[in-house]
Amino acid sequence: LGGKLEDHFKTFNEKPMATASIGQVHEATLHSGEEVVVKIQRPEIEKLIKNDISVLTFLADLMEKYLPETRIVGPSQIVDEFFRTLTHELDFVLESNNMTRIAENLKSNTKVVIPTVHRKFSTRRVLTLQKLTGIRITDLEAMKAQNISATDLVDTGARVFFKMVLED
């Protein structure tokens, strides 16, 4: 984002609340007092992925050359598709645009909340979002205690999924 953390955030928890293969997520507070989460890419992850993909491409080409029966599966095509998908995941601007579009498409559904993107505090490698709290879908006891019906949750999820796929 440029500058010091204090320039952008009132508080920033340097211990990640979640980690994944390409980055990690930290809790923070904006100077406005709003609680946010900040998704940050790991340093050098793009270079590491490109190196890994080049190895996979080399191996896929070898398989197709020396194991003709693998051509029906198309290892090179699988690697190409995998690379395209990873490239999209590395661009948080693309992710923020998708989130904004999904939020707009689902704004009439009061059962679904998409976190707001804070574009001022987001870049290609940093994504700052409204912090949402809730119950994990796997915590059945907590859902039961809050009178959340698993059937209703599945119904809502299915309706949203098919709206996104078939309409949007």
Side-chain angles (χ1 to χ4, degrees), residues 14 25 63 67-68 77 82 88 91 94 157 162:
E14 292 192 29
V25 178
M63 285 177 66
L67 301 169
Q77 290 173 323
F82 182 62
H88 290 300
D91 188 348
L94 181 61
F162 285 114

Side-chain angles (χ1 to χ4, degrees), residues 16-148:
M17 65 182 287
T19 60
S21 57
I22 67 165
Q24 53 196 39
V25 178
H26 297 264
E27 294 174 295
T29 308
L30 298 177
H31 288 291
S32 67
E34 182 179 354
E35 292 183 350
V36 295
V37 292
V38 184
K39 182 177 174 181
I40 304 169
Q41 276 185 29
R42 295 185 187 281
E44 305 292 322
I45 191 66
E46 193 166 359
K47 181 180 176 183
L48 181 64
I49 287 173
K50 285 181 179 178
N51 288 340
D52 289 350
I53 293 297
S54 67
V55 170
L56 288 173
T57 300
F58 175 74
L59 292 174
D61 290 345
L62 283 178
M63 285 177 66
E64 289 179 0
K65 182 175 181 179
Y66 294 108
L67 301 169
E69 60 273 14
T70 64
R71 290 183 197 145
I72 196 164
V73 178
S76 295
Q77 290 173 323
I78 292 170
V79 171
D80 287 345
E81 183 60 31
F82 182 62
F83 178 67
R84 273 195 298 279
T85 301
L86 277 176
T87 301
H88 290 300
E89 286 187 31
L90 289 172
D91 188 348
F92 289 168
V93 171
L94 181 61
E95 184 174 341
S96 70
N97 290 342
N98 288 338
M99 290 180 70
T100 301
R101 188 174 69 232
I102 290 167
E104 180 64 26
N105 291 344
L106 297 176
K107 70 181 176 186
S108 64
N109 188 328
T110 59
K111 294 182 178 185
V112 177
V113 178
I114 307 297
T116 303
V117 175
H118 290 276
R119 292 189 186 274
K120 180 179 177 184
F121 305 104
S122 298
T123 66
R124 188 174 181 279
R125 298 189 60 227
V126 176
L127 181 59
T128 302
L129 304 168
Q130 168 191 14
K131 182 180 178 185
L132 300 177
T133 58
I135 300 169
R136 292 187 184 273
I137 196 167
T138 55
D139 192 346
L140 300 179
E141 291 300 317
M143 287 175 44
K144 194 174 191 179
Q146 293 291 319
N147 293 321
I148 298 171

